[in-house]
Short mmCIF file of all heavy atoms in Angstrom, two decimals:
data_model
loop_
_atom_site.label_atom_id
_atom_site.label_comp_id
_atom_site.label_asym_id
_atom_site.label_seq_id
_atom_site.Cartn_x
_atom_site.Cartn_y
_atom_site.Cartn_z
N MET A 262 -35.68 -127.57 68.52
CA MET A 262 -34.52 -128.05 67.77
C MET A 262 -35.00 -128.87 66.58
O MET A 262 -35.86 -129.73 66.71
CB MET A 262 -33.63 -128.91 68.67
CG MET A 262 -32.47 -129.50 67.91
SD MET A 262 -31.46 -130.69 68.83
CE MET A 262 -31.10 -129.83 70.31
N LYS A 263 -34.41 -128.58 65.43
CA LYS A 263 -34.76 -129.32 64.22
C LYS A 263 -33.97 -130.62 64.18
O LYS A 263 -32.80 -130.65 64.55
CB LYS A 263 -34.47 -128.48 62.98
CG LYS A 263 -35.34 -127.25 62.92
CD LYS A 263 -35.03 -126.43 61.71
CE LYS A 263 -35.86 -125.17 61.79
NZ LYS A 263 -36.69 -124.97 60.66
N LYS A 264 -34.64 -131.67 63.73
CA LYS A 264 -34.00 -132.99 63.65
C LYS A 264 -33.88 -133.39 62.19
O LYS A 264 -34.88 -133.56 61.50
CB LYS A 264 -34.81 -134.02 64.43
CG LYS A 264 -34.84 -133.73 65.91
CD LYS A 264 -35.59 -134.79 66.67
CE LYS A 264 -35.58 -134.44 68.16
NZ LYS A 264 -36.21 -135.47 68.96
N PHE A 265 -32.64 -133.54 61.75
CA PHE A 265 -32.35 -133.95 60.38
C PHE A 265 -31.85 -135.38 60.36
O PHE A 265 -31.15 -135.82 61.27
CB PHE A 265 -31.24 -133.07 59.79
CG PHE A 265 -31.66 -131.68 59.44
CD1 PHE A 265 -31.53 -130.65 60.36
CD2 PHE A 265 -32.17 -131.38 58.19
CE1 PHE A 265 -31.90 -129.35 60.04
CE2 PHE A 265 -32.54 -130.10 57.85
CZ PHE A 265 -32.41 -129.08 58.77
N LYS A 266 -32.21 -136.08 59.29
CA LYS A 266 -31.62 -137.38 59.00
C LYS A 266 -31.14 -137.32 57.57
O LYS A 266 -31.87 -136.89 56.68
CB LYS A 266 -32.66 -138.51 59.14
CG LYS A 266 -33.11 -138.75 60.55
CD LYS A 266 -34.06 -139.93 60.65
CE LYS A 266 -34.52 -140.10 62.10
NZ LYS A 266 -35.24 -141.35 62.27
N VAL A 267 -29.90 -137.73 57.35
CA VAL A 267 -29.37 -137.87 56.00
C VAL A 267 -29.38 -139.35 55.69
O VAL A 267 -28.77 -140.16 56.39
CB VAL A 267 -27.95 -137.28 55.88
CG1 VAL A 267 -27.38 -137.55 54.49
CG2 VAL A 267 -27.97 -135.78 56.16
N LEU A 268 -30.13 -139.71 54.65
CA LEU A 268 -30.31 -141.10 54.28
C LEU A 268 -29.34 -141.47 53.17
O LEU A 268 -29.31 -140.81 52.13
CB LEU A 268 -31.75 -141.34 53.80
CG LEU A 268 -32.88 -140.79 54.67
CD1 LEU A 268 -34.22 -141.06 54.00
CD2 LEU A 268 -32.85 -141.38 56.06
N GLY A 269 -28.57 -142.51 53.37
CA GLY A 269 -27.66 -142.98 52.34
C GLY A 269 -26.64 -143.94 52.89
O GLY A 269 -26.47 -144.06 54.10
N GLY A 270 -25.96 -144.59 51.99
CA GLY A 270 -25.01 -145.63 52.38
C GLY A 270 -23.65 -145.14 52.82
O GLY A 270 -22.73 -145.93 52.99
N GLY A 271 -23.49 -143.84 52.99
CA GLY A 271 -22.20 -143.32 53.40
C GLY A 271 -21.35 -142.86 52.23
O GLY A 271 -20.15 -142.64 52.36
N CYS A 272 -21.96 -142.67 51.07
CA CYS A 272 -21.24 -142.25 49.88
C CYS A 272 -20.81 -140.78 50.01
O CYS A 272 -21.20 -140.07 50.93
CB CYS A 272 -22.13 -142.41 48.64
SG CYS A 272 -23.57 -141.32 48.65
N ARG A 273 -20.00 -140.34 49.08
CA ARG A 273 -19.49 -138.97 49.11
C ARG A 273 -20.64 -137.95 49.10
O ARG A 273 -20.60 -136.96 49.82
CB ARG A 273 -18.56 -138.74 47.91
CG ARG A 273 -17.96 -137.36 47.89
CD ARG A 273 -17.13 -137.12 46.61
NE ARG A 273 -16.68 -135.75 46.54
CZ ARG A 273 -17.46 -134.71 46.23
NH1 ARG A 273 -18.73 -134.89 45.97
NH2 ARG A 273 -16.96 -133.49 46.16
N ASN A 274 -21.65 -138.17 48.26
CA ASN A 274 -22.76 -137.23 48.18
C ASN A 274 -23.51 -137.12 49.51
O ASN A 274 -23.99 -136.05 49.88
CB ASN A 274 -23.73 -137.63 47.07
CG ASN A 274 -23.15 -137.38 45.69
OD1 ASN A 274 -22.13 -136.71 45.53
ND2 ASN A 274 -23.80 -137.91 44.68
N CYS A 275 -23.60 -138.23 50.22
CA CYS A 275 -24.26 -138.22 51.53
C CYS A 275 -23.44 -137.41 52.53
O CYS A 275 -23.99 -136.66 53.33
CB CYS A 275 -24.47 -139.64 52.03
SG CYS A 275 -25.50 -140.63 50.94
N GLU A 276 -22.13 -137.57 52.48
CA GLU A 276 -21.25 -136.82 53.38
C GLU A 276 -21.31 -135.32 53.07
O GLU A 276 -21.36 -134.50 53.98
CB GLU A 276 -19.80 -137.32 53.26
CG GLU A 276 -19.58 -138.70 53.83
CD GLU A 276 -19.90 -138.79 55.31
OE1 GLU A 276 -19.56 -137.86 56.07
OE2 GLU A 276 -20.50 -139.80 55.71
N VAL A 277 -21.31 -134.98 51.78
CA VAL A 277 -21.40 -133.57 51.38
C VAL A 277 -22.72 -132.97 51.87
O VAL A 277 -22.76 -131.85 52.37
CB VAL A 277 -21.26 -133.43 49.84
CG1 VAL A 277 -21.62 -132.03 49.38
CG2 VAL A 277 -19.84 -133.79 49.41
N THR A 278 -23.80 -133.73 51.75
CA THR A 278 -25.11 -133.26 52.20
C THR A 278 -25.12 -133.03 53.71
O THR A 278 -25.58 -131.99 54.18
CB THR A 278 -26.20 -134.27 51.80
OG1 THR A 278 -26.21 -134.38 50.36
CG2 THR A 278 -27.57 -133.83 52.28
N ALA A 279 -24.60 -133.99 54.46
CA ALA A 279 -24.56 -133.86 55.92
C ALA A 279 -23.71 -132.66 56.33
O ALA A 279 -24.09 -131.88 57.22
CB ALA A 279 -24.01 -135.13 56.56
N ASN A 280 -22.58 -132.48 55.67
CA ASN A 280 -21.69 -131.36 55.98
C ASN A 280 -22.35 -130.02 55.65
O ASN A 280 -22.19 -129.04 56.38
CB ASN A 280 -20.36 -131.49 55.25
CG ASN A 280 -19.51 -132.63 55.79
OD1 ASN A 280 -19.71 -133.08 56.91
ND2 ASN A 280 -18.58 -133.11 54.99
N ALA A 281 -23.10 -129.96 54.55
CA ALA A 281 -23.79 -128.73 54.16
C ALA A 281 -24.83 -128.34 55.20
O ALA A 281 -24.96 -127.15 55.55
CB ALA A 281 -24.43 -128.90 52.79
N ILE A 282 -25.56 -129.31 55.71
CA ILE A 282 -26.58 -129.04 56.74
C ILE A 282 -25.91 -128.55 58.02
O ILE A 282 -26.34 -127.56 58.61
CB ILE A 282 -27.44 -130.30 56.99
CG1 ILE A 282 -28.28 -130.63 55.76
CG2 ILE A 282 -28.34 -130.10 58.22
CD1 ILE A 282 -28.95 -131.99 55.79
N THR A 283 -24.86 -129.23 58.42
CA THR A 283 -24.13 -128.84 59.64
C THR A 283 -23.57 -127.43 59.50
O THR A 283 -23.69 -126.61 60.42
CB THR A 283 -22.99 -129.84 59.92
OG1 THR A 283 -23.55 -131.14 60.06
CG2 THR A 283 -22.22 -129.47 61.17
N GLN A 284 -22.98 -127.12 58.35
CA GLN A 284 -22.37 -125.81 58.14
C GLN A 284 -23.44 -124.72 58.11
O GLN A 284 -23.26 -123.65 58.70
CB GLN A 284 -21.58 -125.80 56.82
CG GLN A 284 -20.84 -124.51 56.56
CD GLN A 284 -19.76 -124.22 57.59
OE1 GLN A 284 -19.14 -125.14 58.12
NE2 GLN A 284 -19.54 -122.95 57.89
N ALA A 285 -24.57 -124.95 57.44
CA ALA A 285 -25.64 -123.95 57.38
C ALA A 285 -26.18 -123.66 58.77
O ALA A 285 -26.45 -122.50 59.11
CB ALA A 285 -26.76 -124.44 56.47
N ALA A 286 -26.33 -124.69 59.59
CA ALA A 286 -26.82 -124.50 60.95
C ALA A 286 -25.83 -123.70 61.78
O ALA A 286 -26.21 -122.80 62.53
CB ALA A 286 -27.10 -125.85 61.61
N LYS A 287 -24.55 -124.01 61.62
CA LYS A 287 -23.50 -123.30 62.35
C LYS A 287 -23.50 -121.82 61.96
O LYS A 287 -23.44 -120.94 62.82
CB LYS A 287 -22.15 -123.94 62.04
CG LYS A 287 -20.99 -123.36 62.80
CD LYS A 287 -19.72 -124.12 62.46
CE LYS A 287 -18.52 -123.51 63.15
NZ LYS A 287 -17.28 -124.21 62.79
N GLU A 288 -23.58 -121.54 60.66
CA GLU A 288 -23.57 -120.16 60.18
C GLU A 288 -24.79 -119.39 60.67
O GLU A 288 -24.71 -118.19 60.93
CB GLU A 288 -23.50 -120.13 58.66
CG GLU A 288 -22.15 -120.54 58.11
CD GLU A 288 -22.12 -120.67 56.60
OE1 GLU A 288 -23.12 -120.34 55.94
OE2 GLU A 288 -21.07 -121.10 56.07
N ALA A 289 -25.92 -120.07 60.77
CA ALA A 289 -27.16 -119.42 61.19
C ALA A 289 -27.30 -119.35 62.71
O ALA A 289 -28.21 -118.70 63.22
CB ALA A 289 -28.36 -120.15 60.59
N GLY A 290 -26.43 -120.05 63.42
CA GLY A 290 -26.53 -120.09 64.87
C GLY A 290 -27.73 -120.88 65.36
O GLY A 290 -28.29 -120.60 66.41
N VAL A 291 -28.12 -121.89 64.57
CA VAL A 291 -29.28 -122.71 64.89
C VAL A 291 -28.80 -124.08 65.36
O VAL A 291 -27.96 -124.71 64.72
CB VAL A 291 -30.19 -122.87 63.65
CG1 VAL A 291 -31.33 -123.82 63.93
CG2 VAL A 291 -30.71 -121.51 63.20
N GLU A 292 -29.36 -124.54 66.48
CA GLU A 292 -28.99 -125.84 67.00
C GLU A 292 -29.84 -126.91 66.31
O GLU A 292 -31.06 -126.78 66.21
CB GLU A 292 -29.22 -125.89 68.50
CG GLU A 292 -28.63 -127.11 69.16
CD GLU A 292 -28.71 -127.06 70.67
OE1 GLU A 292 -28.77 -125.95 71.23
OE2 GLU A 292 -28.74 -128.14 71.26
N ILE A 293 -29.17 -127.94 65.80
CA ILE A 293 -29.87 -129.04 65.14
C ILE A 293 -29.37 -130.37 65.69
O ILE A 293 -28.34 -130.43 66.35
CB ILE A 293 -29.65 -129.02 63.60
CG1 ILE A 293 -28.16 -129.26 63.25
CG2 ILE A 293 -30.18 -127.74 62.98
CD1 ILE A 293 -27.92 -129.60 61.81
N GLU A 294 -30.13 -131.39 65.37
CA GLU A 294 -29.69 -132.76 65.63
C GLU A 294 -29.58 -133.42 64.26
O GLU A 294 -30.51 -133.33 63.45
CB GLU A 294 -30.74 -133.48 66.47
CG GLU A 294 -30.40 -134.90 66.82
CD GLU A 294 -31.49 -135.56 67.65
OE1 GLU A 294 -31.89 -134.98 68.68
OE2 GLU A 294 -31.95 -136.64 67.24
N LEU A 295 -28.45 -134.04 63.98
CA LEU A 295 -28.22 -134.66 62.67
C LEU A 295 -27.86 -136.13 62.86
O LEU A 295 -26.94 -136.46 63.61
CB LEU A 295 -27.09 -133.95 61.93
CG LEU A 295 -26.73 -134.52 60.56
CD1 LEU A 295 -27.85 -134.29 59.56
CD2 LEU A 295 -25.45 -133.90 60.05
N GLU A 296 -28.60 -136.97 62.18
CA GLU A 296 -28.35 -138.42 62.23
C GLU A 296 -28.12 -138.92 60.82
O GLU A 296 -28.84 -138.53 59.90
CB GLU A 296 -29.57 -139.12 62.85
CG GLU A 296 -29.47 -140.62 62.88
CD GLU A 296 -30.75 -141.30 63.38
OE1 GLU A 296 -31.67 -140.60 63.84
OE2 GLU A 296 -30.82 -142.53 63.27
N LYS A 297 -27.12 -139.77 60.66
CA LYS A 297 -26.86 -140.39 59.36
C LYS A 297 -27.46 -141.79 59.40
O LYS A 297 -27.15 -142.59 60.27
CB LYS A 297 -25.37 -140.46 59.08
CG LYS A 297 -24.73 -139.10 58.94
CD LYS A 297 -23.24 -139.22 58.73
CE LYS A 297 -22.58 -137.86 58.71
NZ LYS A 297 -21.13 -137.96 58.63
N VAL A 298 -28.35 -142.06 58.45
CA VAL A 298 -29.03 -143.35 58.39
C VAL A 298 -28.48 -144.13 57.20
O VAL A 298 -28.59 -143.69 56.05
CB VAL A 298 -30.56 -143.17 58.24
CG1 VAL A 298 -31.25 -144.51 58.11
CG2 VAL A 298 -31.12 -142.38 59.41
N THR A 299 -27.86 -145.28 57.48
CA THR A 299 -27.27 -146.09 56.42
C THR A 299 -28.00 -147.41 56.20
O THR A 299 -27.72 -148.12 55.24
CB THR A 299 -25.78 -146.38 56.72
OG1 THR A 299 -25.68 -147.05 57.98
CG2 THR A 299 -24.96 -145.10 56.76
N ASP A 300 -28.94 -147.74 57.08
CA ASP A 300 -29.69 -148.99 56.97
C ASP A 300 -30.69 -148.90 55.82
O ASP A 300 -31.60 -148.07 55.84
CB ASP A 300 -30.42 -149.26 58.29
CG ASP A 300 -31.23 -150.54 58.23
OD1 ASP A 300 -30.62 -151.61 58.07
OD2 ASP A 300 -32.47 -150.45 58.32
N MET A 301 -30.49 -149.75 54.81
CA MET A 301 -31.33 -149.66 53.61
C MET A 301 -32.81 -149.90 53.91
O MET A 301 -33.68 -149.27 53.29
CB MET A 301 -30.84 -150.64 52.53
CG MET A 301 -29.54 -150.21 51.87
SD MET A 301 -29.55 -148.49 51.27
CE MET A 301 -30.68 -148.60 49.91
N ALA A 302 -33.12 -150.77 54.85
CA ALA A 302 -34.52 -151.02 55.19
C ALA A 302 -35.17 -149.75 55.75
O ALA A 302 -36.30 -149.42 55.41
CB ALA A 302 -34.63 -152.17 56.18
N GLU A 303 -34.43 -149.04 56.59
CA GLU A 303 -34.95 -147.80 57.16
C GLU A 303 -35.10 -146.72 56.08
O GLU A 303 -36.08 -145.98 56.05
CB GLU A 303 -34.03 -147.30 58.28
CG GLU A 303 -34.63 -146.14 59.06
CD GLU A 303 -33.81 -145.74 60.28
OE1 GLU A 303 -32.88 -146.48 60.67
OE2 GLU A 303 -34.12 -144.67 60.84
N ILE A 304 -34.10 -146.65 55.18
CA ILE A 304 -34.16 -145.67 54.08
C ILE A 304 -35.38 -145.95 53.21
O ILE A 304 -36.16 -145.04 52.88
CB ILE A 304 -32.86 -145.72 53.25
CG1 ILE A 304 -31.70 -145.19 54.10
CG2 ILE A 304 -33.01 -144.91 51.96
CD1 ILE A 304 -30.32 -145.43 53.49
N LEU A 305 -35.57 -147.20 52.85
CA LEU A 305 -36.74 -147.57 52.02
C LEU A 305 -38.04 -147.34 52.77
O LEU A 305 -39.06 -147.04 52.16
CB LEU A 305 -36.62 -149.03 51.57
CG LEU A 305 -35.49 -149.31 50.57
CD1 LEU A 305 -35.35 -150.81 50.33
CD2 LEU A 305 -35.70 -148.57 49.27
N GLY A 306 -38.00 -147.44 54.09
CA GLY A 306 -39.18 -147.17 54.91
C GLY A 306 -39.66 -145.74 54.77
O GLY A 306 -40.84 -145.44 54.95
N PHE A 307 -38.75 -144.83 54.43
CA PHE A 307 -39.12 -143.44 54.17
C PHE A 307 -39.61 -143.24 52.74
O PHE A 307 -40.02 -142.14 52.37
CB PHE A 307 -37.93 -142.50 54.43
CG PHE A 307 -37.67 -142.21 55.88
CD1 PHE A 307 -36.63 -142.83 56.55
CD2 PHE A 307 -38.47 -141.31 56.58
CE1 PHE A 307 -36.38 -142.55 57.89
CE2 PHE A 307 -38.23 -141.03 57.91
CZ PHE A 307 -37.19 -141.65 58.57
N GLY A 308 -39.53 -144.30 51.92
CA GLY A 308 -39.94 -144.19 50.52
C GLY A 308 -38.88 -143.59 49.63
O GLY A 308 -39.16 -143.22 48.49
N VAL A 309 -37.65 -143.52 50.12
CA VAL A 309 -36.55 -142.94 49.34
C VAL A 309 -35.88 -144.04 48.54
O VAL A 309 -35.40 -145.02 49.09
CB VAL A 309 -35.53 -142.23 50.27
CG1 VAL A 309 -34.29 -141.82 49.50
CG2 VAL A 309 -36.18 -141.04 50.93
N MET A 310 -35.87 -143.85 47.21
CA MET A 310 -35.28 -144.86 46.33
C MET A 310 -33.88 -144.46 45.83
O MET A 310 -33.12 -145.31 45.39
CB MET A 310 -36.18 -145.09 45.11
CG MET A 310 -37.53 -145.63 45.48
SD MET A 310 -37.37 -147.18 46.35
CE MET A 310 -39.00 -147.83 46.19
N SER A 311 -33.58 -143.16 45.87
CA SER A 311 -32.24 -142.72 45.47
C SER A 311 -31.71 -141.76 46.52
O SER A 311 -32.44 -140.92 47.04
CB SER A 311 -32.26 -142.09 44.08
OG SER A 311 -33.11 -140.98 44.04
N THR A 312 -30.43 -141.93 46.82
CA THR A 312 -29.82 -141.15 47.89
C THR A 312 -28.88 -140.10 47.30
O THR A 312 -28.50 -140.21 46.13
CB THR A 312 -29.04 -142.07 48.84
OG1 THR A 312 -28.03 -142.75 48.12
CG2 THR A 312 -29.97 -143.06 49.51
N PRO A 313 -28.51 -139.10 48.05
CA PRO A 313 -28.87 -138.89 49.44
C PRO A 313 -30.31 -138.40 49.60
O PRO A 313 -30.84 -137.72 48.73
CB PRO A 313 -27.89 -137.82 49.92
CG PRO A 313 -27.49 -137.08 48.68
CD PRO A 313 -27.57 -138.08 47.56
N GLY A 314 -30.88 -138.78 50.72
CA GLY A 314 -32.20 -138.28 51.09
C GLY A 314 -32.06 -137.45 52.36
O GLY A 314 -31.15 -137.66 53.15
N VAL A 315 -32.96 -136.49 52.52
CA VAL A 315 -32.95 -135.65 53.72
C VAL A 315 -34.33 -135.70 54.35
O VAL A 315 -35.34 -135.47 53.67
CB VAL A 315 -32.56 -134.19 53.41
CG1 VAL A 315 -32.59 -133.34 54.67
CG2 VAL A 315 -31.19 -134.11 52.75
N VAL A 316 -34.36 -136.01 55.63
CA VAL A 316 -35.60 -136.03 56.40
C VAL A 316 -35.49 -134.91 57.44
O VAL A 316 -34.49 -134.82 58.15
CB VAL A 316 -35.81 -137.39 57.10
CG1 VAL A 316 -37.03 -137.36 57.99
CG2 VAL A 316 -35.91 -138.50 56.07
N LEU A 317 -36.49 -134.05 57.48
CA LEU A 317 -36.53 -132.97 58.45
C LEU A 317 -37.75 -133.15 59.32
O LEU A 317 -38.88 -133.16 58.81
CB LEU A 317 -36.58 -131.61 57.74
CG LEU A 317 -36.82 -130.38 58.61
CD1 LEU A 317 -35.78 -130.27 59.72
CD2 LEU A 317 -36.82 -129.11 57.76
N ASP A 318 -37.53 -133.34 60.61
CA ASP A 318 -38.61 -133.53 61.58
C ASP A 318 -39.61 -134.60 61.12
O ASP A 318 -40.82 -134.41 61.18
CB ASP A 318 -39.31 -132.20 61.86
CG ASP A 318 -38.39 -131.20 62.55
OD1 ASP A 318 -37.46 -131.65 63.27
OD2 ASP A 318 -38.58 -129.99 62.38
N GLY A 319 -39.06 -135.72 60.61
CA GLY A 319 -39.89 -136.87 60.25
C GLY A 319 -40.46 -136.85 58.85
O GLY A 319 -41.11 -137.80 58.43
N LYS A 320 -40.21 -135.79 58.08
CA LYS A 320 -40.78 -135.67 56.72
C LYS A 320 -39.65 -135.61 55.70
O LYS A 320 -38.70 -134.84 55.85
CB LYS A 320 -41.63 -134.40 56.64
CG LYS A 320 -42.25 -134.18 55.29
CD LYS A 320 -43.04 -132.89 55.25
CE LYS A 320 -43.51 -132.62 53.84
NZ LYS A 320 -43.88 -131.22 53.63
N VAL A 321 -39.75 -136.41 54.63
CA VAL A 321 -38.76 -136.37 53.57
C VAL A 321 -38.89 -135.04 52.82
O VAL A 321 -39.96 -134.70 52.33
CB VAL A 321 -38.95 -137.55 52.58
CG1 VAL A 321 -37.97 -137.45 51.42
CG2 VAL A 321 -38.79 -138.89 53.29
N VAL A 322 -37.79 -134.28 52.78
CA VAL A 322 -37.81 -132.99 52.11
C VAL A 322 -36.94 -132.98 50.85
O VAL A 322 -37.02 -132.03 50.06
CB VAL A 322 -37.38 -131.84 53.05
CG1 VAL A 322 -38.40 -131.63 54.15
CG2 VAL A 322 -36.00 -132.08 53.63
N HIS A 323 -36.14 -134.04 50.64
CA HIS A 323 -35.26 -134.06 49.48
C HIS A 323 -34.77 -135.49 49.26
O HIS A 323 -34.56 -136.23 50.21
CB HIS A 323 -34.06 -133.13 49.70
CG HIS A 323 -33.19 -132.99 48.51
ND1 HIS A 323 -33.48 -132.13 47.49
CD2 HIS A 323 -32.04 -133.61 48.16
CE1 HIS A 323 -32.53 -132.20 46.56
NE2 HIS A 323 -31.64 -133.11 46.96
N ALA A 324 -34.55 -135.84 47.98
CA ALA A 324 -33.96 -137.15 47.67
C ALA A 324 -33.33 -137.12 46.29
O ALA A 324 -33.82 -136.43 45.39
CB ALA A 324 -35.01 -138.25 47.75
N GLY A 325 -32.27 -137.89 46.14
CA GLY A 325 -31.70 -138.15 44.83
C GLY A 325 -30.55 -137.29 44.37
O GLY A 325 -29.95 -137.57 43.35
N SER A 326 -30.20 -136.24 45.11
CA SER A 326 -29.08 -135.39 44.72
C SER A 326 -28.62 -134.58 45.92
O SER A 326 -29.28 -134.57 46.96
CB SER A 326 -29.50 -134.44 43.59
OG SER A 326 -30.51 -133.54 44.05
N ILE A 327 -27.50 -133.89 45.72
CA ILE A 327 -27.01 -133.00 46.77
C ILE A 327 -27.88 -131.75 46.73
O ILE A 327 -28.01 -131.13 45.68
CB ILE A 327 -25.54 -132.63 46.54
CG1 ILE A 327 -24.65 -133.89 46.60
CG2 ILE A 327 -25.07 -131.60 47.55
CD1 ILE A 327 -23.22 -133.66 46.17
N PRO A 328 -28.49 -131.38 47.86
CA PRO A 328 -29.33 -130.17 47.86
C PRO A 328 -28.48 -128.92 47.73
O PRO A 328 -27.33 -128.89 48.16
CB PRO A 328 -30.03 -130.23 49.22
CG PRO A 328 -29.13 -131.05 50.08
CD PRO A 328 -28.46 -132.03 49.16
N GLY A 329 -29.06 -127.89 47.13
CA GLY A 329 -28.35 -126.63 46.95
C GLY A 329 -28.25 -125.85 48.26
O GLY A 329 -29.03 -126.07 49.18
N PRO A 330 -27.29 -124.93 48.33
CA PRO A 330 -27.07 -124.15 49.55
C PRO A 330 -28.31 -123.37 50.00
O PRO A 330 -28.59 -123.29 51.20
CB PRO A 330 -25.93 -123.20 49.19
CG PRO A 330 -25.32 -123.74 47.95
CD PRO A 330 -26.34 -124.60 47.29
N ASP A 331 -29.04 -122.78 49.06
CA ASP A 331 -30.24 -122.01 49.42
C ASP A 331 -31.30 -122.91 50.03
O ASP A 331 -31.98 -122.54 50.98
CB ASP A 331 -30.81 -121.28 48.20
CG ASP A 331 -29.92 -120.14 47.73
OD1 ASP A 331 -29.12 -119.65 48.55
OD2 ASP A 331 -30.02 -119.75 46.55
N GLN A 332 -31.44 -124.10 49.46
CA GLN A 332 -32.42 -125.06 49.96
C GLN A 332 -32.07 -125.47 51.40
O GLN A 332 -32.93 -125.52 52.27
CB GLN A 332 -32.45 -126.28 49.04
CG GLN A 332 -33.58 -127.22 49.28
CD GLN A 332 -33.63 -128.32 48.23
OE1 GLN A 332 -32.65 -128.62 47.56
NE2 GLN A 332 -34.79 -128.92 48.07
N VAL A 333 -30.79 -125.74 51.64
CA VAL A 333 -30.34 -126.15 52.97
C VAL A 333 -30.58 -125.02 53.98
O VAL A 333 -31.08 -125.26 55.08
CB VAL A 333 -28.84 -126.56 52.95
CG1 VAL A 333 -28.34 -126.84 54.35
CG2 VAL A 333 -28.65 -127.79 52.06
N ARG A 334 -30.26 -123.78 53.60
CA ARG A 334 -30.49 -122.64 54.49
C ARG A 334 -31.98 -122.50 54.82
O ARG A 334 -32.35 -122.22 55.95
CB ARG A 334 -29.98 -121.35 53.86
CG ARG A 334 -28.51 -121.09 54.15
CD ARG A 334 -28.10 -119.68 53.76
NE ARG A 334 -28.20 -119.42 52.34
CZ ARG A 334 -27.28 -119.73 51.44
NH1 ARG A 334 -26.16 -120.30 51.84
NH2 ARG A 334 -27.44 -119.47 50.17
N ASP A 335 -32.83 -122.70 53.82
CA ASP A 335 -34.28 -122.63 54.05
C ASP A 335 -34.73 -123.66 55.08
O ASP A 335 -35.57 -123.37 55.94
CB ASP A 335 -35.06 -122.81 52.75
CG ASP A 335 -34.98 -121.60 51.83
OD1 ASP A 335 -34.54 -120.52 52.29
OD2 ASP A 335 -35.34 -121.74 50.64
N TRP A 336 -34.19 -124.87 55.00
CA TRP A 336 -34.55 -125.91 55.97
C TRP A 336 -34.12 -125.51 57.37
O TRP A 336 -34.88 -125.66 58.32
CB TRP A 336 -33.87 -127.24 55.63
CG TRP A 336 -34.31 -127.88 54.37
CD1 TRP A 336 -35.51 -127.75 53.72
CD2 TRP A 336 -33.54 -128.78 53.57
NE1 TRP A 336 -35.52 -128.50 52.59
CE2 TRP A 336 -34.33 -129.15 52.46
CE3 TRP A 336 -32.25 -129.30 53.66
CZ2 TRP A 336 -33.88 -130.03 51.46
CZ3 TRP A 336 -31.81 -130.16 52.68
CH2 TRP A 336 -32.62 -130.52 51.61
N VAL A 337 -32.91 -125.01 57.48
CA VAL A 337 -32.36 -124.66 58.78
C VAL A 337 -33.11 -123.48 59.40
O VAL A 337 -33.44 -123.49 60.58
CB VAL A 337 -30.84 -124.36 58.67
CG1 VAL A 337 -30.31 -123.74 59.95
CG2 VAL A 337 -30.07 -125.63 58.34
N LEU A 338 -33.41 -122.49 58.57
CA LEU A 338 -34.04 -121.27 59.08
C LEU A 338 -35.57 -121.35 59.15
O LEU A 338 -36.19 -120.61 59.90
CB LEU A 338 -33.64 -120.07 58.22
CG LEU A 338 -32.15 -119.72 58.26
CD1 LEU A 338 -31.83 -118.64 57.24
CD2 LEU A 338 -31.74 -119.29 59.66
N GLY A 339 -36.15 -122.21 58.32
CA GLY A 339 -37.59 -122.31 58.20
C GLY A 339 -38.28 -122.82 59.35
O GLY A 339 -38.68 -122.86 60.31
#
């Protein structure tokens, strides 16, 4: 099971990112675990300075914007 973390303060872009990951996993029939991280100390601990950030299995894979649909599908399927 892939473990995703969406890093951000709960802004609209963070919600859109979390929803895109959830939807891509649902469409692909892939089971994931998704956690929303809003604690700034934890976010900075990942080295992310601009949100939303995406962590996949402990590694930062995106930061600073809403990821595109193809990128999200690649994470889910990869």
Side-chain angles (χ1 to χ4, degrees):
M262 176 187 309
K263 295 180 185 236
K264 295 183 180 184
F265 287 92
K266 292 184 182 189
V267 175
L268 312 177
C272 66
R273 181 185 174 285
N274 288 348
C275 299
E276 290 299 319
V277 169
T278 299
N280 290 339
I282 293 168
T283 301
Q284 184 64 33
K287 184 177 176 182
E288 288 173 5
V291 175
E292 191 173 334
I293 64 166
E294 181 181 308
L295 178 69
E296 177 185 352
K297 295 177 185 175
V298 178
T299 58
D300 179 63
M301 288 309 291
E303 189 173 349
I304 292 169
L305 292 173
F307 281 103
V309 171
M310 297 301 198
S311 59
T312 60
V315 179
V316 175
L317 172 56
D318 295 332
K320 180 182 173 199
V321 176
V322 293
H323 186 82
S326 64
I327 297 171
D331 290 337
Q332 192 174 21
V333 174
R334 273 192 296 276
D335 287 346
W336 294 333
V337 169
L338 296 172

